[in-house]
Each structure stands twice: as C-alpha cells, then as structure tokens.
Amino acid sequence: MSGTNLTRDEARERAAVVDPASVRYTVELDLTRGDTTFGSTTTASFAATEGAGTWLDLIAPTVHEVVLNGTALDPAEVFDGARVRLEGLAAQNEVKVVADAAYMRTGEGLHRFVDPVDDEVYLYSQFEVADARRVYACFEQPDLKAEVTFLVDAPSTWEVVSNSPGKAGKASHGKKRWTFEATPRLSTYVTAIVAGPYHVERSEHVGKEKTIPLALYCRKSLAEHLDADELFDVTTRGFAFFEDVFGLAYPFAKYDQLFVPEFNAGAMENAGAVTHHEDYVFRSRVTDAAYERRAETILHEMAHMWFGDLVTMRWWDDLWLNESFATWASVLSLAEGTRWTDGWTTFAVTEKLWALRQDQLPSTHPISADIRDLEDVQVNFDGITYAKGASVLKQLVAWVGRDEFLEGVRAYFADHAWGNTSLTDLFGHLETTSGRDLSAWNEEWLRTAGVNTLRPVVTVDSNGAYTSVAVEQTAAPEHPTIRSHRVAVGLYDYTEDGALVRRRRVELDLTGPRTEIPELRGETQPDLLLVNDDDLTFAKVRLDDRSLATVVSSIGSLDPLPRALCWTAATDMLRDAEMSASSFVELVLGGVEGETSMGVVQHVLSSARAAIDLYALPANRIVLSARWAAALRQLAGSAEPGSDRQLAFTRAWVAAAASDEHVAEIRALLDGDEALLPGLVMDTDLRWALLQRLVVLGAAGDDAVDAELERDNTATGQRQAAYARAAVPTYPAKAAAWQAAVESDELPNAQLTATVRGFAHPEQRELVRPYVQPYLDAVPRVWAERTSESAQAIIIGLFPRVLADAATATAVRTWLEGAELPDAARRLVVEGLADLDRALRAQERDRQAG
C-alpha cells in the first residue's frame, strides 16, 4: 500500500504548481475488451507554473502512451506504477495517457462482478479515498477539482451511468458509445462510472428551481425486490427538506441511485450517481429498523450533494466535517421529513455508542484530525469522524441557534460553490450569522480528544428532598480536557399506572469539574435523575444509585428518547466494567419487551449477546447463554405473529440456541413447521440464519450448505455459504478459511468479509486459538500487499478478540513492542488489543458480581 501513498505536503506542493481552476479531463473507457482489463485514455488539460514539474496519478498494469504537449514520452521512464511524471511544464498543458486499467474484485476502482444467477456482468466504480486513479489518470487530491467528460464504449445491451446525463450512440458490432455531458467542477473521488445490464426505474421530483430526473438501478435478478415507490418517496422527501433548509437548489442535473453488488460500505456520494450496497434491496423480510437505516443512508448521501460535492474539503483533515455534517443533516431530515420521527432516538443508542467506543480507544484523536497522508485517512472513517462529529455539530447548532446555523451554512454554500474549503471558512460564516466567537468552542471540542463523564452527586434529607444536587465532570488522565457542556437535567417519577414521567427539566451550562444546580434544592428526590436529558451534549452519563435501580426495574416505562439515553448509559457502564455482564443481560431481558423502537430493540439484543461472548466471566457463559436463549425463545413465541418483534426475537434466539430442544426446533422450522412460530415468514435469508446456526453447533455440515446454496445460488447465497463453511467447527474448516482469506487474494471482497466473520466465531475459541501467532506474523505482509479495504477486513476481522483472555492480550502486547509497522496498520492492532483489555476488566467485574 505504501507505494501508492500520497502525503499532504506533496498535495500542497502540486496544488501550488497546477492551477486548480484550470483542470479538465476527457476520459475514454473501453469496457468491451475482456474480463481483466479495460482501455483507459485520458486527455488532461491544465495551466501550471511554467518550467515546473508535477505528476498525474495512475494505477494500471500497462501504460502504452504518454504525450505531453505534443511530445511523446517513454512510459517506462515516466511511469512507476502509481505516478506519471511530467517535467518542463508549459503555461498551458495537454497530456494524453493511454493505458490498460485493471478491473478490481476488492470494491475499489472499477469493480467487476458476474451475477451467478444469469452470468451477466456488472461494473461500478468506488473512488474514495483515492481510487479514481485506478480508472483514469488524474490529479488524485480533493482540491484539484476538474470538469470531466466521460466517453464510454460498452456492450449494446448495457446501461451506462455517470455523474452527468449521457446518451448512447447507435449500436455497432455489439457495442455502443455513451457520451456524457461535462461535469461541473468535481473532486475526482466523487466522479463515477456504473455499467451493466442494470434494471432501471424512473421518476422525477419538482424541486426548488427545476425538475430533477430520478432513477433507481439494480441487477436484473434483484428487480422483483426493488421497492421503487418507497425509495422514491424517501428521496423526494429528502430533496424537499434539504432544498428548503439549505436555501439552495439541488446543484446537479439528475439524481441516480444505483444498488450495486459487493459494495464495501453502505453508500457513496458520487455526484448525481449515488451508489448503495445492494443489501438495501430487501429480498427477504426485514424489520422497520432496516428501512429506517436505509432511509438515513439515502438522506446522508443526498446531504453530501451540497456539503462535500458542491463544496469540498481542501484536504482530508476535514473529512470529519464532510461526514459529520452529512450524518447530522440526515438524522435531522429523517426526524423532521419522514415517518421516522424518532430518528434522534436511534442516533442516541447506535451512532453515539459507536462514538463513545472509538473515543476511548488508544487511537482516539481530535475530531479535527491531523491527516498526514492517504494511509491516515483510510483508517479514519471511524466513530469520531462520523458519530462524535455529528453529535458535536448538534451541540453547535444549539449553541449558535438553529436559524443562525442554517443561515451561515447557506452563506457558506453561496460563497464557496464548486470550490474547496477548510473548517475556518465554515466557522467564519457561523460567527458572522450568530455573533458568537467560536474559537474557544473550536479548541475545546474539535482540537482535543477524549470524552468526559458526567455523574450526578446528590444529598437528600430525612423527608426525601434534595439538599444538594451537583454534576461532577471527569476526564481520562491521557485526555484531561474538561469541557463546557450545555445540558438538561430531567426529574422523572412513577405515575399510578407505572409510567415514568418527567416532572421537571432544568437546562444549564456545566463548566469545570463540578457544577452545582441550586434550582433543585428542596425538590423531592425523583425516581430517576437523568443528566443530559434530551441528549444535548456528547458525554458519558452515569446514574445515581436510586436512578440506576429505577432503570434496571423499569426502563420500559420511559418515553423513547430518555429510554434510549438510559440504554446508552447502561451499555457504556457495561463496557467500562461498572455493570456486570450478568446484570446487563438481565436489564435487557427485563426491558426489551417494552421497547418500541425496533432499532433500539435490535441494538440492545446485539449488545447483550456481546456481553455474554466477551464480557462475561468464562465460567458464567454457559449458564448465562442458556438463560438468554430460553428467554429469547419465550419472547419470540409471545410476540405478535408476523410482527417485526417476532422476527427480531427469533433471529436473536437462533443466534443463541444451543440446547437439544432448540436445535430440534430450528430443524423443524427449516423443514417448514409453521405451527412452531405462527406468522413467521420462512424466507431465504432466515433459512440461511437457521442453517448457519446448525453449522456453528456442528449439527449440519458442508452437504447442507451445498444444498442450501443450490436453492439460493445468488450473490447473497454465495456470501452466506462462505460464512457457513468458515464457521464449521473443525480444524480443517478453519485451515481452509485461513488459506482462502489470508494466504490467497482470490476471494472477492464480499466473500472475503464473510469468510473472515465465519472464521472468527466467538463460540469457537479453541479452534481460533492456534492462529494468534500466524495472525501477528501475517499483519505486516497483509498491509503491504493488499489494497486498503482488503487489508482492513483481514486485520480487523481476524484479530483474536473473540478469545478475550489474558494470554492473548500478553501475546499481542509483546509482539507490538517489537513489530515494525506503518502507523495506520499499527493502529488497527492497538485497537484490537484495547478491546481485549476492556473485556478482561469487564470479566473481572462479572466475577466480583457473581
């Protein structure tokens, strides 16, 4: 990976030579030639400092021709595999690069996929962070924006999509040339090419200033599952919301959304041609939480059309602002513009917990991070960049005022359209519209790392009234910043019908290690005192003893948002070894039945399973797992037939089932017993979940997997089968999975990820244990030889965190002391070690509680 790196200093030097306003590309791609490479011809024009030198980025197996200002250059002399060196530039330059570029199977560059259903070929591009250079020669840095004209030769039966509208010429010899209008000035990472015999649905949205053509694309074999009406509804609601609050019409000519196979992320904000993971085309029954997550993803990418694509960060230091703004805006529009009005509730118990975990790792960093090079940014798509940043932006909106914040954003768009900016540009506008000096806030919240803990400290007189209430704020010694927080404190009491209702709310600023709340002196002590009610700040929140007892016994009696905040506090207490795994599981079993948000239901079920696998004392796991599985089976049986709750509880039960009775029930469900759980839809993906559980338990093997794959020989089926084969509880199965994932690079990205997940199953610890040292030995080689996405999938996914024991932690720590690794690769291993250390502390807490 290091040979393809680019540093911030190099990017600055190139931007000083090349005029950012002058860059234009004409890119000709020939997608008709074969299954390993395609033709790529780039003609780039740009103004530059006369006499200076620079380079174009290109990763390609072969370069046939380089012509600079009419002079042919020897490719062997100017191309090193990653850069095309250009010396003696003129004031105005034109360079032509003719190359064979490689199709990828890693989800980067131009990814090539063959549908096992009908053998049709589908292509899509994924260029963030720096993979446009795998398709065409370019200046691969965000501040050298360009107008791009794509000309694409493709088989005559294909659809071809890019950022701008395009037209296909007449078919000749089985192919057509697609000519696309020149794009506006875009950073290379948001340009796109998608091609193949995609199914398409069309609509339009009458926008603020124009009618926006809309289209949805998916593979032909998924077309029957494409719920176009629902997708168009969310899309048009998003446009109506964003054009209103941003005060600016959608800046591109059309809006296509393409659901593509083997995608590495949820989606990508290519201007006017957003790519989504095709798992968002639901081929089986899912709960409403999946629809909510999909809607949030759609809205997130749409927000990027303004914040990221129209106005783009100058360098990746401000990646956080790009992603945090889109996350904040997507949840805002979800809550205010769609049927998911509790979007901030889901955010509180999912994204914020992700941020809290990330902010307590040794690799934590300020929100505004120091991104020295591309390797830094590759591992920085994390919980701080997305979730903590969005939480802090939410605070900033409250601090400066929503109207003032949006007025500043509108001015920012107007002043910097089609350009590049840094954080200071946005803050300058916000300071103007709000009249506030944001320098101290910036330093406190964006330039420092770590999270504060807010803990109520109360005293009560003999009559049950508060004599004092204060909030103490602490910080980890390694990140000691004590911040200013705007918080609400809520007082909740039981009503006669058992509900917990807020009696009083006090809003105040917390500054320093201790802040008194004199307004609450004399108040009768409530059943629950909730610091950070309404979720106004980003912090770890703790409960006093009385409040914790109330939450443990009655969390389901709260309204959705305070309930989510209590779930978040409890989950964080579990991770900090302040609540035992056994107590957390009992909290979940006592409260999940009353939880109304499906997103929260599924999150706490997942957290409880992790508590058993990682945080429970090993001696307690068997009993706790049996208790968990039995309770989930009861919840699944008592849920309304056919409901989301029935499906969620069933899936959680299946993942935990181990007794002979439960195995027999799983077999019966697979055999079509409809009376066992009336109303449960036994569709393709649920069948795989049932079979995979039998495989994990050793109750089914390769023959059963082969038979199920024959029933479902699709891309998803192949991925499910790869997971199952890697999860077979035998040493030969683990050896085969290791060979396929680590020692070979032939697996496409989706099957690689599935194989890694199956290999590292938490209930197969003894089968994984022999691979601790082989894993450590492989890390440097994997990082050096694989692409970024593949390397991270292996290094993170195969880290032996499932062992969760002291011997493994010691082995990793000792190895790290002598290992020579790039900083980005070291960070991934250090984060895994931190997970092990946290698990050991939690296990000790569980022992003490036992």
PDB file of all heavy atoms in Angstrom, residues 757-780:
ATOM      1  N   ARG A 757     -15.622 -13.402   8.928  1.00  0.00           N
ATOM      2  CA  ARG A 757     -16.625 -13.438  10.002  1.00  0.00           C
ATOM      3  C   ARG A 757     -16.886 -14.867  10.464  1.00  0.00           C
ATOM      4  O   ARG A 757     -16.998 -15.139  11.670  1.00  0.00           O
ATOM      5  CB  ARG A 757     -17.938 -12.805   9.526  1.00  0.00           C
ATOM      6  CG  ARG A 757     -17.903 -11.293   9.418  1.00  0.00           C
ATOM      7  CD  ARG A 757     -19.251 -10.739   8.968  1.00  0.00           C
ATOM      8  NE  ARG A 757     -20.338 -11.222   9.793  1.00  0.00           N
ATOM      9  CZ  ARG A 757     -21.315 -12.029   9.370  1.00  0.00           C
ATOM     10  NH1 ARG A 757     -21.327 -12.455   8.106  1.00  0.00           N
ATOM     11  NH2 ARG A 757     -22.262 -12.413  10.189  1.00  0.00           N
ATOM     12  N   GLY A 758     -17.001 -15.787   9.541  1.00  0.00           N
ATOM     13  CA  GLY A 758     -17.242 -17.174   9.925  1.00  0.00           C
ATOM     14  C   GLY A 758     -16.067 -17.785  10.656  1.00  0.00           C
ATOM     15  O   GLY A 758     -16.242 -18.557  11.609  1.00  0.00           O
ATOM     16  N   PHE A 759     -14.860 -17.461  10.232  1.00  0.00           N
ATOM     17  CA  PHE A 759     -13.666 -17.978  10.892  1.00  0.00           C
ATOM     18  C   PHE A 759     -13.633 -17.556  12.363  1.00  0.00           C
ATOM     19  O   PHE A 759     -13.337 -18.362  13.250  1.00  0.00           O
ATOM     20  CB  PHE A 759     -12.415 -17.466  10.174  1.00  0.00           C
ATOM     21  CG  PHE A 759     -11.124 -17.893  10.817  1.00  0.00           C
ATOM     22  CD1 PHE A 759     -10.487 -19.040  10.401  1.00  0.00           C
ATOM     23  CD2 PHE A 759     -10.537 -17.143  11.833  1.00  0.00           C
ATOM     24  CE1 PHE A 759      -9.288 -19.451  10.988  1.00  0.00           C
ATOM     25  CE2 PHE A 759      -9.366 -17.538  12.435  1.00  0.00           C
ATOM     26  CZ  PHE A 759      -8.728 -18.699  12.010  1.00  0.00           C
ATOM     27  N   ALA A 760     -13.923 -16.290  12.618  1.00  0.00           N
ATOM     28  CA  ALA A 760     -13.742 -15.713  13.963  1.00  0.00           C
ATOM     29  C   ALA A 760     -15.005 -15.818  14.802  1.00  0.00           C
ATOM     30  O   ALA A 760     -15.353 -14.884  15.527  1.00  0.00           O
ATOM     31  CB  ALA A 760     -13.295 -14.263  13.841  1.00  0.00           C
ATOM     32  N   HIS A 761     -15.695 -16.930  14.734  1.00  0.00           N
ATOM     33  CA  HIS A 761     -16.939 -17.057  15.502  1.00  0.00           C
ATOM     34  C   HIS A 761     -16.620 -17.131  16.989  1.00  0.00           C
ATOM     35  O   HIS A 761     -15.748 -17.900  17.424  1.00  0.00           O
ATOM     36  CB  HIS A 761     -17.712 -18.305  15.078  1.00  0.00           C
ATOM     37  CG  HIS A 761     -19.132 -18.271  15.526  1.00  0.00           C
ATOM     38  ND1 HIS A 761     -19.498 -18.564  16.821  1.00  0.00           N
ATOM     39  CD2 HIS A 761     -20.270 -17.940  14.871  1.00  0.00           C
ATOM     40  CE1 HIS A 761     -20.809 -18.429  16.941  1.00  0.00           C
ATOM     41  NE2 HIS A 761     -21.302 -18.052  15.774  1.00  0.00           N
ATOM     42  N   PRO A 762     -17.306 -16.343  17.825  1.00  0.00           N
ATOM     43  CA  PRO A 762     -16.948 -16.266  19.243  1.00  0.00           C
ATOM     44  C   PRO A 762     -17.179 -17.548  20.038  1.00  0.00           C
ATOM     45  O   PRO A 762     -16.660 -17.682  21.147  1.00  0.00           O
ATOM     46  CB  PRO A 762     -17.839 -15.128  19.770  1.00  0.00           C
ATOM     47  CG  PRO A 762     -18.944 -15.011  18.786  1.00  0.00           C
ATOM     48  CD  PRO A 762     -18.369 -15.377  17.472  1.00  0.00           C
ATOM     49  N   GLU A 763     -17.946 -18.488  19.503  1.00  0.00           N
ATOM     50  CA  GLU A 763     -18.169 -19.740  20.219  1.00  0.00           C
ATOM     51  C   GLU A 763     -17.199 -20.842  19.781  1.00  0.00           C
ATOM     52  O   GLU A 763     -17.356 -21.999  20.177  1.00  0.00           O
ATOM     53  CB  GLU A 763     -19.613 -20.204  20.005  1.00  0.00           C
ATOM     54  CG  GLU A 763     -20.643 -19.263  20.610  1.00  0.00           C
ATOM     55  CD  GLU A 763     -22.069 -19.660  20.259  1.00  0.00           C
ATOM     56  OE1 GLU A 763     -22.560 -20.638  20.846  1.00  0.00           O
ATOM     57  OE2 GLU A 763     -22.679 -18.998  19.407  1.00  0.00           O
ATOM     58  N   GLN A 764     -16.210 -20.464  18.994  1.00  0.00           N
ATOM     59  CA  GLN A 764     -15.244 -21.453  18.509  1.00  0.00           C
ATOM     60  C   GLN A 764     -13.828 -21.028  18.890  1.00  0.00           C
ATOM     61  O   GLN A 764     -12.887 -21.080  18.097  1.00  0.00           O
ATOM     62  CB  GLN A 764     -15.403 -21.613  16.992  1.00  0.00           C
ATOM     63  CG  GLN A 764     -16.783 -22.152  16.609  1.00  0.00           C
ATOM     64  CD  GLN A 764     -17.025 -22.177  15.113  1.00  0.00           C
ATOM     65  OE1 GLN A 764     -16.287 -21.573  14.334  1.00  0.00           O
ATOM     66  NE2 GLN A 764     -18.086 -22.860  14.700  1.00  0.00           N
ATOM     67  N   ARG A 765     -13.680 -20.635  20.153  1.00  0.00           N
ATOM     68  CA  ARG A 765     -12.424 -20.045  20.610  1.00  0.00           C
ATOM     69  C   ARG A 765     -11.244 -21.002  20.475  1.00  0.00           C
ATOM     70  O   ARG A 765     -10.156 -20.608  20.054  1.00  0.00           O
ATOM     71  CB  ARG A 765     -12.568 -19.591  22.063  1.00  0.00           C
ATOM     72  CG  ARG A 765     -13.553 -18.452  22.251  1.00  0.00           C
ATOM     73  CD  ARG A 765     -13.718 -18.079  23.728  1.00  0.00           C
ATOM     74  NE  ARG A 765     -14.707 -17.029  23.876  1.00  0.00           N
ATOM     75  CZ  ARG A 765     -16.030 -17.261  23.961  1.00  0.00           C
ATOM     76  NH1 ARG A 765     -16.489 -18.501  23.901  1.00  0.00           N
ATOM     77  NH2 ARG A 765     -16.871 -16.251  24.093  1.00  0.00           N
ATOM     78  N   GLU A 766     -11.451 -22.248  20.857  1.00  0.00           N
ATOM     79  CA  GLU A 766     -10.325 -23.173  20.850  1.00  0.00           C
ATOM     80  C   GLU A 766      -9.854 -23.490  19.431  1.00  0.00           C
ATOM     81  O   GLU A 766      -8.692 -23.813  19.213  1.00  0.00           O
ATOM     82  CB  GLU A 766     -10.688 -24.448  21.608  1.00  0.00           C
ATOM     83  CG  GLU A 766     -10.935 -24.208  23.092  1.00  0.00           C
ATOM     84  CD  GLU A 766      -9.844 -23.349  23.732  1.00  0.00           C
ATOM     85  OE1 GLU A 766      -8.649 -23.694  23.592  1.00  0.00           O
ATOM     86  OE2 GLU A 766     -10.173 -22.324  24.362  1.00  0.00           O
ATOM     87  N   LEU A 767     -10.765 -23.382  18.460  1.00  0.00           N
ATOM     88  CA  LEU A 767     -10.366 -23.583  17.074  1.00  0.00           C
ATOM     89  C   LEU A 767      -9.586 -22.391  16.535  1.00  0.00           C
ATOM     90  O   LEU A 767      -8.753 -22.533  15.632  1.00  0.00           O
ATOM     91  CB  LEU A 767     -11.607 -23.817  16.210  1.00  0.00           C
ATOM     92  CG  LEU A 767     -12.411 -25.084  16.504  1.00  0.00           C
ATOM     93  CD1 LEU A 767     -13.692 -25.091  15.676  1.00  0.00           C
ATOM     94  CD2 LEU A 767     -11.584 -26.323  16.217  1.00  0.00           C
ATOM     95  N   VAL A 768      -9.845 -21.215  17.094  1.00  0.00           N
ATOM     96  CA  VAL A 768      -9.180 -19.990  16.647  1.00  0.00           C
ATOM     97  C   VAL A 768      -7.836 -19.800  17.344  1.00  0.00           C
ATOM     98  O   VAL A 768      -6.904 -19.203  16.777  1.00  0.00           O
ATOM     99  CB  VAL A 768     -10.104 -18.779  16.905  1.00  0.00           C
ATOM    100  CG1 VAL A 768      -9.388 -17.468  16.647  1.00  0.00           C
ATOM    101  CG2 VAL A 768     -11.359 -18.880  16.041  1.00  0.00           C
ATOM    102  N   ARG A 769      -7.705 -20.331  18.539  1.00  0.00           N
ATOM    103  CA  ARG A 769      -6.512 -20.064  19.353  1.00  0.00           C
ATOM    104  C   ARG A 769      -5.190 -20.357  18.639  1.00  0.00           C
ATOM    105  O   ARG A 769      -4.225 -19.584  18.763  1.00  0.00           O
ATOM    106  CB  ARG A 769      -6.605 -20.873  20.657  1.00  0.00           C
ATOM    107  CG  ARG A 769      -5.562 -20.474  21.691  1.00  0.00           C
ATOM    108  CD  ARG A 769      -5.768 -21.233  22.997  1.00  0.00           C
ATOM    109  NE  ARG A 769      -7.085 -21.008  23.557  1.00  0.00           N
ATOM    110  CZ  ARG A 769      -7.444 -19.920  24.240  1.00  0.00           C
ATOM    111  NH1 ARG A 769      -6.559 -18.951  24.415  1.00  0.00           N
ATOM    112  NH2 ARG A 769      -8.660 -19.790  24.726  1.00  0.00           N
ATOM    113  N   PRO A 770      -5.069 -21.431  17.865  1.00  0.00           N
ATOM    114  CA  PRO A 770      -3.772 -21.691  17.213  1.00  0.00           C
ATOM    115  C   PRO A 770      -3.360 -20.634  16.188  1.00  0.00           C
ATOM    116  O   PRO A 770      -2.212 -20.659  15.715  1.00  0.00           O
ATOM    117  CB  PRO A 770      -3.996 -23.042  16.519  1.00  0.00           C
ATOM    118  CG  PRO A 770      -5.126 -23.682  17.260  1.00  0.00           C
ATOM    119  CD  PRO A 770      -6.005 -22.553  17.675  1.00  0.00           C
ATOM    120  N   TYR A 771      -4.260 -19.724  15.850  1.00  0.00           N
ATOM    121  CA  TYR A 771      -3.968 -18.752  14.801  1.00  0.00           C
ATOM    122  C   TYR A 771      -3.510 -17.399  15.346  1.00  0.00           C
ATOM    123  O   TYR A 771      -3.325 -16.463  14.565  1.00  0.00           O
ATOM    124  CB  TYR A 771      -5.200 -18.568  13.904  1.00  0.00           C
ATOM    125  CG  TYR A 771      -5.462 -19.781  13.039  1.00  0.00           C
ATOM    126  CD1 TYR A 771      -6.282 -20.797  13.495  1.00  0.00           C
ATOM    127  CD2 TYR A 771      -4.864 -19.905  11.800  1.00  0.00           C
ATOM    128  CE1 TYR A 771      -6.512 -21.934  12.726  1.00  0.00           C
ATOM    129  CE2 TYR A 771      -5.083 -21.028  11.011  1.00  0.00           C
ATOM    130  CZ  TYR A 771      -5.906 -22.044  11.488  1.00  0.00           C
ATOM    131  OH  TYR A 771      -6.115 -23.157  10.713  1.00  0.00           O
ATOM    132  N   VAL A 772      -3.306 -17.284  16.657  1.00  0.00           N
ATOM    133  CA  VAL A 772      -2.867 -15.999  17.209  1.00  0.00           C
ATOM    134  C   VAL A 772      -1.524 -15.598  16.608  1.00  0.00           C
ATOM    135  O   VAL A 772      -1.366 -14.486  16.071  1.00  0.00           O
ATOM    136  CB  VAL A 772      -2.794 -16.050  18.741  1.00  0.00           C
ATOM    137  CG1 VAL A 772      -2.174 -14.750  19.287  1.00  0.00           C
ATOM    138  CG2 VAL A 772      -4.183 -16.255  19.340  1.00  0.00           C
ATOM    139  N   GLN A 773      -0.526 -16.467  16.688  1.00  0.00           N
ATOM    140  CA  GLN A 773       0.786 -16.104  16.153  1.00  0.00           C
ATOM    141  C   GLN A 773       0.785 -16.010  14.632  1.00  0.00           C
ATOM    142  O   GLN A 773       1.368 -15.064  14.073  1.00  0.00           O
ATOM    143  CB  GLN A 773       1.849 -17.107  16.613  1.00  0.00           C
ATOM    144  CG  GLN A 773       3.272 -16.644  16.314  1.00  0.00           C
ATOM    145  CD  GLN A 773       3.599 -15.315  16.980  1.00  0.00           C
ATOM    146  OE1 GLN A 773       3.341 -15.120  18.170  1.00  0.00           O
ATOM    147  NE2 GLN A 773       4.157 -14.375  16.207  1.00  0.00           N
ATOM    148  N   PRO A 774       0.120 -16.935  13.901  1.00  0.00           N
ATOM    149  CA  PRO A 774       0.043 -16.737  12.446  1.00  0.00           C
ATOM    150  C   PRO A 774      -0.612 -15.418  12.058  1.00  0.00           C
ATOM    151  O   PRO A 774      -0.210 -14.791  11.072  1.00  0.00           O
ATOM    152  CB  PRO A 774      -0.787 -17.935  11.977  1.00  0.00           C
ATOM    153  CG  PRO A 774      -0.505 -19.000  12.988  1.00  0.00           C
ATOM    154  CD  PRO A 774      -0.366 -18.278  14.291  1.00  0.00           C
ATOM    155  N   TYR A 775      -1.601 -14.993  12.841  1.00  0.00           N
ATOM    156  CA  TYR A 775      -2.222 -13.690  12.568  1.00  0.00           C
ATOM    157  C   TYR A 775      -1.193 -12.570  12.710  1.00  0.00           C
ATOM    158  O   TYR A 775      -1.045 -11.714  11.816  1.00  0.00           O
ATOM    159  CB  TYR A 775      -3.397 -13.454  13.522  1.00  0.00           C
ATOM    160  CG  TYR A 775      -3.860 -12.018  13.538  1.00  0.00           C
ATOM    161  CD1 TYR A 775      -4.758 -11.544  12.599  1.00  0.00           C
ATOM    162  CD2 TYR A 775      -3.382 -11.125  14.500  1.00  0.00           C
ATOM    163  CE1 TYR A 775      -5.169 -10.218  12.593  1.00  0.00           C
ATOM    164  CE2 TYR A 775      -3.782  -9.795  14.514  1.00  0.00           C
ATOM    165  CZ  TYR A 775      -4.681  -9.345  13.559  1.00  0.00           C
ATOM    166  OH  TYR A 775      -5.083  -8.031  13.556  1.00  0.00           O
ATOM    167  N   LEU A 776      -0.473 -12.557  13.810  1.00  0.00           N
ATOM    168  CA  LEU A 776       0.504 -11.494  14.039  1.00  0.00           C
ATOM    169  C   LEU A 776       1.586 -11.510  12.960  1.00  0.00           C
ATOM    170  O   LEU A 776       2.011 -10.456  12.476  1.00  0.00           O
ATOM    171  CB  LEU A 776       1.118 -11.658  15.427  1.00  0.00           C
ATOM    172  CG  LEU A 776       0.137 -11.503  16.604  1.00  0.00           C
ATOM    173  CD1 LEU A 776       0.814 -11.883  17.920  1.00  0.00           C
ATOM    174  CD2 LEU A 776      -0.422 -10.093  16.668  1.00  0.00           C
ATOM    175  N   ASP A 777       2.013 -12.703  12.581  1.00  0.00           N
ATOM    176  CA  ASP A 777       3.033 -12.805  11.530  1.00  0.00           C
ATOM    177  C   ASP A 777       2.513 -12.262  10.201  1.00  0.00           C
ATOM    178  O   ASP A 777       3.284 -11.725   9.384  1.00  0.00           O
ATOM    179  CB  ASP A 777       3.455 -14.261  11.351  1.00  0.00           C
ATOM    180  CG  ASP A 777       4.215 -14.805  12.556  1.00  0.00           C
ATOM    181  OD1 ASP A 777       4.718 -13.996  13.355  1.00  0.00           O
ATOM    182  OD2 ASP A 777       4.278 -16.045  12.695  1.00  0.00           O
ATOM    183  N   ALA A 778       1.216 -12.417   9.956  1.00  0.00           N
ATOM    184  CA  ALA A 778       0.644 -12.036   8.665  1.00  0.00           C
ATOM    185  C   ALA A 778       0.372 -10.544   8.542  1.00  0.00           C
ATOM    186  O   ALA A 778       0.292 -10.022   7.418  1.00  0.00           O
ATOM    187  CB  ALA A 778      -0.652 -12.806   8.425  1.00  0.00           C
ATOM    188  N   VAL A 779       0.214  -9.834   9.650  1.00  0.00           N
ATOM    189  CA  VAL A 779      -0.220  -8.431   9.594  1.00  0.00           C
ATOM    190  C   VAL A 779       0.682  -7.568   8.710  1.00  0.00           C
ATOM    191  O   VAL A 779       0.189  -6.855   7.819  1.00  0.00           O
ATOM    192  CB  VAL A 779      -0.338  -7.842  11.018  1.00  0.00           C
ATOM    193  CG1 VAL A 779      -0.458  -6.312  10.959  1.00  0.00           C
ATOM    194  CG2 VAL A 779      -1.550  -8.415  11.728  1.00  0.00           C
ATOM    195  N   PRO A 780       2.012  -7.566   8.885  1.00  0.00           N
ATOM    196  CA  PRO A 780       2.836  -6.697   8.025  1.00  0.00           C
ATOM    197  C   PRO A 780       2.698  -7.045   6.547  1.00  0.00           C
ATOM    198  O   PRO A 780       2.658  -6.146   5.695  1.00  0.00           O
ATOM    199  CB  PRO A 780       4.259  -6.960   8.533  1.00  0.00           C
ATOM    200  CG  PRO A 780       4.099  -7.496   9.913  1.00  0.00           C
ATOM    201  CD  PRO A 780       2.832  -8.287   9.887  1.00  0.00           C
TER     202      PRO A 780
END
